Amino acid sequence: MLKLSKLHAPSIRLSGGSADPFSTNLAEWIRPVKQDQEYDLCLMGVPLSKSSISFSGAHLHPQQFRKCWTSFTTYNWEQDIDLKPLRIADLGDIEMHITDIAQCHQNIYEANLSVQRAYPEAVSIAVGGDHSITAPLVKAIVEATGARIGIIQFDAHLDVRDLSYGGASNGTPMRNLIESNTIRGEDIVTIGLRNFANSRQYRDYAEQHGMNLVSQREVQQAGIETIIAQAMAILDQKCDQIYVTFDIDVLDQSVVPGVPAIGPQGLLPVELFESAYILGKWEKVQAIDFVCVDPSVDFRDASTRVSLHIFLHFLSGFYRRKM
Amino acid sequence: MLKLSKLHAPSIRLSGGSADPFSTNLAEWIRPVKQDQEYDLCLMGVPLSKSSISFSGAHLHPQQFRKCWTSFTTYNWEQDIDLKPLRIADLGDIEMHITDIAQCHQNIYEANLSVQRAYPEAVSIAVGGDHSITAPLVKAIVEATGARIGIIQFDAHLDVRDLSYGGASNGTPMRNLIESNTIRGEDIVTIGLRNFANSRQYRDYAEQHGMNLVSQREVQQAGIETIIAQAMAILDQKCDQIYVTFDIDVLDQSVVPGVPAIGPQGLLPVELFESAYILGKWEKVQAIDFVCVDPSVDFRDASTRVSLHIFLHFLSGFYRRKM
Amino acid sequence: MLKLSKLHAPSIRLSGGSADPFSTNLAEWIRPVKQDQEYDLCLMGVPLSKSSISFSGAHLHPQQFRKCWTSFTTYNWEQDIDLKPLRIADLGDIEMHITDIAQCHQNIYEANLSVQRAYPEAVSIAVGGDHSITAPLVKAIVEATGARIGIIQFDAHLDVRDLSYGGASNGTPMRNLIESNTIRGEDIVTIGLRNFANSRQYRDYAEQHGMNLVSQREVQQAGIETIIAQAMAILDQKCDQIYVTFDIDVLDQSVVPGVPAIGPQGLLPVELFESAYILGKWEKVQAIDFVCVDPSVDFRDASTRVSLHIFLHFLSGFYRRKM
Amino acid sequence: MLKLSKLHAPSIRLSGGSADPFSTNLAEWIRPVKQDQEYDLCLMGVPLSKSSISFSGAHLHPQQFRKCWTSFTTYNWEQDIDLKPLRIADLGDIEMHITDIAQCHQNIYEANLSVQRAYPEAVSIAVGGDHSITAPLVKAIVEATGARIGIIQFDAHLDVRDLSYGGASNGTPMRNLIESNTIRGEDIVTIGLRNFANSRQYRDYAEQHGMNLVSQREVQQAGIETIIAQAMAILDQKCDQIYVTFDIDVLDQSVVPGVPAIGPQGLLPVELFESAYILGKWEKVQAIDFVCVDPSVDFRDASTRVSLHIFLHFLSGFYRRKM
Amino acid sequence: MLKLSKLHAPSIRLSGGSADPFSTNLAEWIRPVKQDQEYDLCLMGVPLSKSSISFSGAHLHPQQFRKCWTSFTTYNWEQDIDLKPLRIADLGDIEMHITDIAQCHQNIYEANLSVQRAYPEAVSIAVGGDHSITAPLVKAIVEATGARIGIIQFDAHLDVRDLSYGGASNGTPMRNLIESNTIRGEDIVTIGLRNFANSRQYRDYAEQHGMNLVSQREVQQAGIETIIAQAMAILDQKCDQIYVTFDIDVLDQSVVPGVPAIGPQGLLPVELFESAYILGKWEKVQAIDFVCVDPSVDFRDASTRVSLHIFLHFLSGFYRRKM
Amino acid sequence: MLKLSKLHAPSIRLSGGSADPFSTNLAEWIRPVKQDQEYDLCLMGVPLSKSSISFSGAHLHPQQFRKCWTSFTTYNWEQDIDLKPLRIADLGDIEMHITDIAQCHQNIYEANLSVQRAYPEAVSIAVGGDHSITAPLVKAIVEATGARIGIIQFDAHLDVRDLSYGGASNGTPMRNLIESNTIRGEDIVTIGLRNFANSRQYRDYAEQHGMNLVSQREVQQAGIETIIAQAMAILDQKCDQIYVTFDIDVLDQSVVPGVPAIGPQGLLPVELFESAYILGKWEKVQAIDFVCVDPSVDFRDASTRVSLHIFLHFLSGFYRRKM
Ligand SMILES: [Ca+2]
Ligand SMILES: [Ca+2]
Ligand SMILES: [Ca+2]
Ligand SMILES: [Ca+2]
Ligand SMILES: [Ca+2]
Ligand SMILES: [Ca+2]
Ligand SMILES: [Ca+2]
Ligand SMILES: [Ca+2]
Ligand SMILES: [Ca+2]
Ligand SMILES: [Ca+2]
Ligand SMILES: [Ca+2]
Ligand SMILES: [Ca+2]
């Protein structure tokens, strides 16, 4: 048995088998972690959504994410990349307490600390859950590595609500990281901020703490490649490692019907696919998460398929980094 | 302003107006509480469901319960009772903390304590929420009154899970009350226990603590009036007051599609309507709750309508008690 | 072309064909009306629901009723009756005006008048639509026949709202018929009245006008056969003809999820099946309608299937009357 | 009490409260009208959809529009505008008759006449309802002001059906206004006309009456700013005031799944957001409406959110006009 | 590896783990088959529904049946039986061909033949799939045992369509077995036949072949225990073994919304629970199947829960047989 | 009666009537085929989906396609074309066998052979069904004409699965045509291939057989007009006729929620509308099909509306070809 704290196999497992010998689906490729094996990438589910301000079933996303693996192959046609040579493990899900949310956050911290120590070279991929998970995930990396971490946050929202209002919810991760001195505000780039979804007071807070803020319209006007290049330029010098967090609600409601805080005037999937590919290539990116998809209100898993495709584009970039 | 702790108006209020002068709907009759007024009955919403073992939107039930008020009149045709003379207040909803579930339970305790003290003569009606709320609600009554409380629990489940497994969840309220010495096991009558929904170990626990257990089939065979008469006989002598808790999952899945733990082989609505009417007449019943309806998975509010009808039959019985 | 006023073919027609030579479905049997042919029964759709107090798609019921014909055979197993010898025609749908509801009611009156004159011997079957249609349908029969008509109304509601409140809506047909001197109150038997769905004031009105009222519980306690026998005894002597109106909301919400005014504590389908069979046998019943099914909110056409089965039990009784 | 005719409070009201002191949601900001107060903008619900040709629940839109207020803030990030200084009132909903649609249109006329007279300086915002409401709304403004009104209509359809076919339905408002001599055809600019959703005969009618017609493809090719600039150039000289009507079905079915007449090849939300902002700035625009959203068939209120965002962009432009 | 032909693990497996040490859910108890182990009962999934006359997703039922295992315990409260001592194996699913339905039936035959030979003493449980699977399942048992098999069929339909009409579909299994001389008509008892769901011609066929036919109403009038006792009396002498097939569409549409051929006037779940318990006790019952549940059109898995409860009642009876 | 083999009228027919004399909807224009009449275009439904690898209700598409005809006019506003002069017939649906899928494919072959012979000059339009239907459709054309056929396939997938894996399913039509020597690989142009939806092995197969492959991104980068021009240039010289097959899953999941294999990163409707218009103008295009829309999982028929619009743009191009 592996020495990974607070991680266990999910209650439903994909067999991984396929009858067609001429294609490999993701379920055949991403298998449960095995002892004494090295990995390029480690994936873990973080099924927590009781920490959400609004009613959320985002804890169902890790399992739905895995179920969708049977519908996709390892082959990126556009780049002519077959991901199969990459070594990837599914570490399972982090254990959650039924009624103690602070304990859930503590479990996330402990689990990720143990993952960072067990696989210091691997890129870690967390599949949430709501956005509150990012704070303990990042804290564990800082604890494990001592590195100065930069964050690229794709989000419609700043996530800098005052923690005195409701505790460590999905409205607070960036403020949580800043006020716990885990991350400097200037080391955060937030991309995709949305009209009528934030307040001027929180913008003031973010700007006073040096956060780098990019609105949806600025992305559309400058082009996503430019925005990502600027983000990399801001963080490259001063940060040792980069953590990328994809809050799927940054996308337009017409493309991700299954996120709790849906809204119009969001980014488009191709903008995140492109971003993920570029960031996958960048050596400094050592951890990534996907949050705020609620499969219980989705339509035919469209939103989970989008988060899965972002993941696959990140892996494609990572393939370029490695191969 | 009233001195009721941790209670506030719900975010959406019914206007109470109706264009038809010849009928009175519930929304016109049950109005927000007013200061310096006496009441026969006080209703409060308890919108907590993060304490549920399985994913639950039961916190949405108080508001849906109120919205259905516009579809029902105050007139019980079968009994030829118009409820209008009863004095009833809507106290609003108990405040919940976003991430601290223990605090939520504390708020429920405080709110109900304040209600019991403000309206010692009134019957209090709590609209949950999941079943974890019953424990703090009962504790507050015991604190306020010092009475020996008997409980009549309608439930498919015993609710005596070990609190070390997940804390004060919706699987634990009866054990919670027993082990906190709030209630004696022998003062609990549980009606409607369901096949393949409990374990022999928990049954052993319940029996060892003297709980009085009645299965669904025993209800069908003996008839609900007999069962209720027996429950009253068990509790009447030794208890000062009776608390009735309706876990709506005691009903068959075909009649309440919107409870989290739906299942076949449940009780029928008419059995709860009859029970509620009889218990409404009984002087000792001073508090009542309705739990575990999740409007987010219901079909056309059928389950909320059932909980509302139970409430109306209780009121009809109460009318007989008073008038 | 037939001389039927305000009736036209529905926009979608069933072909009536079936590949299986060993069974006859209803769509093969009930065919569009043909000129110069005699019929035992005439069916017409009355697609009006803009006259409803609450939002209703009951105008979609006639067409859904026909679509379900392909799923049922003409064979009543319990009675060993094959309905095929009965001569039945589908007259199509009554034309509705888009914005003039009074004109819709006038069209219903004219269409039925023309039907009664064209087929004076046939039993006419109207598939609504909301309950407002019953008033013009009955008025046309009285105009055509001069008969004293008795009404057996299956309904959760009295339908005696004041017409000054909103006009000839689905809350008013019985009062409309009484106050227009079309029908005497004493010639109406209303069966299945529901708790918390009526007011004492309207009950007073109904009783003052001599209506015969039977609640849901009275049906359960006496048995439906007894209730129907009593209704027949009340009306048999004094009325020339009987009109039966089935407001499907008289049934319990668990069996007809697709009626606008669903509620618990309703009748059961078997009670209406039995009633329809008995009334089908009775010579005096010359017209019948089915109202207040809204297919747009139904679950898998369950409610339409119930109205269709009532119709088929009526036909089975009618078979006994004729054969 | 205000002297506003035929307007009453909606049956469900938002409390307006919020626990987070650092952001203001729309429900806190847009409050019920108060006597003796001046306003920059007045909003009223127009819950009429029985006038629709196809089955429509658009009468549910005003209330759903308000419910969505709790999910959006007053802060336009892209423009760095906080709308709070604007003085806005919710006048409530216009009363509708249950069965007399002509009376409903009369009520709309009377209510708006009374609003125009009570608040002659304020911009009036009508939230429908189906498109038939635009005719009486505009007639009331002409009656109140005597002004020559120009109309900018965003619509997939011309809305010039012959009134002899079905009366004043949602297919007729432009013809209704032209033929009642309320508006000249040349003073109407219709933007977003859709393929296979109109007929050549109606186009002929529109062109013969001088209406200015812009198809969806022409918008895509010229750019929405150019189209709006042209519309303003056409109307600016000859018209005293401009009325803007947003028929939400002008948008593509992929972005507004909840309009009755959905179809592909529609405009995109950003094109309406941009238009609304520009028109909000224009002094001549004194009235605006939003029609043909049916929340009962929508997916997670996506379409209502779009209509609400158009409204917010209009307010942002209006902020520039005023501040 | 086991020598079971055409059987493979399902693509999604339940982990079987549970955090609560005081109860055992079915997923912990029913585990994948292990080599060289003896079993009392063997369960296999038969995911075939392309053989259905109407559109059916019944092939999804085996997997949904397993997923529901996590929601039920092994404890039958009413009988005070804990099923755990029974030795049960999940053999997995029978392989299906994508486009060759005859091959699918051949695979079912081969798989069951191999199961009967590998576990001659065990009771075999097949979870369909549509009713066409019963024919090859029974043929394999006859081939393996040479026994004279009696069939107790719970079904709204006779299932004796002519095979020349569409081949071995779900409308034909009984005729298929009779005409292939696998089973004698007189050895079949069909219980629950429904009004307007069969034809007189097929009834004639069934009666001419000696089938024993019991309608829904006969069940209600005689009581299910009497009917089962009669069926056992008919078959006990002449048959060596009994095969029980539960077509879930025999139940009323209000309790199993997720079967393709739903209809009113069906049996009630308790009647099947009782039957399954009695038949579980009977030594001669050596095989059983559950067919025609389509999870893709169900509501919250209500129908799968019912089929699972029938299975659990059968197991409870079997426990009495064995223990 | 026409001599068309294996074709019959669909079970539900549109009446074709409309009350509005000023517009013509498609249902009024596309009428059932009449004997001894000449046609420019012939449409047939091909309701087969049992041949699908994944669960599919695509057999429901032909009928849903027809039902949507009532919502669209014959008038292409952008091109100012009224399609009415074109002579088009609805030939009905091809007969399918319930359990013999090979027979279904044979029926498709025979039906189309008979159509090609009866209407050699007409363009034939097949409305599927799943993609397996394309193989027998094309084989019939080759048999009837002896022509060298080129194929333009819009598809996210190559459809070159090995037929030994599951037979002639929807994953195989292109390989089926190549390996049966019906079509040369070099005569196929596949447009819209999608990331993570194919495998390198199948790409190798396709390239080895000379298929011309264009990915989604290549379409976006070059523009659809360029891609179509290139496809025409490739095929124009060497092929006698062109067959165009639209697998609707080539589109993005956000615009066609109702196709079985939905996914992100797909083409946009306007790209298919434009393609269809251009190809409609091209003399060589003599046959066309639409496959893989499943109305049973769609949202408000959005996907059927898209396939219908592609059809209408093709007709518009064809109008230019003819008029
Ligand atoms: Ca966030
Ligand atoms: Ca966010
Ligand atoms: Ca409970
Ligand atoms: Ca319970
Ligand atoms: Ca009624
Ligand atoms: Ca009624
Ligand atoms: Ca319009
Ligand atoms: Ca429109
Ligand atoms: Ca069967
Ligand atoms: Ca059956
Ligand atoms: Ca394909
Ligand atoms: Ca495809």
Side-chain angles (χ1 to χ4, degrees), chain D residues 155-157 159 247 249:
Chain D
D155 206 332
H157 311 90
D159 288 354
D247 183 339
D249 72 18

Side-chain angles (χ1 to χ4, degrees), chain E residues 154-168:
Chain E
F154 294 89
D155 207 332
H157 310 91
L158 289 164
D159 287 354
V160 296
R161 283 187 178 225
D162 198 318
L163 277 91
S164 71
Y165 170 61

Side-chain angles (χ1 to χ4, degrees), chain A residues 50-53 55-57 59-60 97-99 101 165-169 296, chain B residues 50-53 55-57 59-60 97-99 101 165-169 296:
Chain A
K50 290 186 176 179
S51 33
S52 292
I53 297 171
F55 184 42
S56 167
H59 66 285
L60 301 167
H97 192 276
I98 294 172
T99 58
I101 294 172
Y165 170 61
S169 72
S296 75
Chain B
K50 291 186 175 180
S51 34
S52 292
I53 297 171
F55 184 41
S56 168
H59 66 286
L60 302 167
H97 192 274
I98 294 172
T99 59
I101 295 172
Y165 170 61
S169 73
S296 74

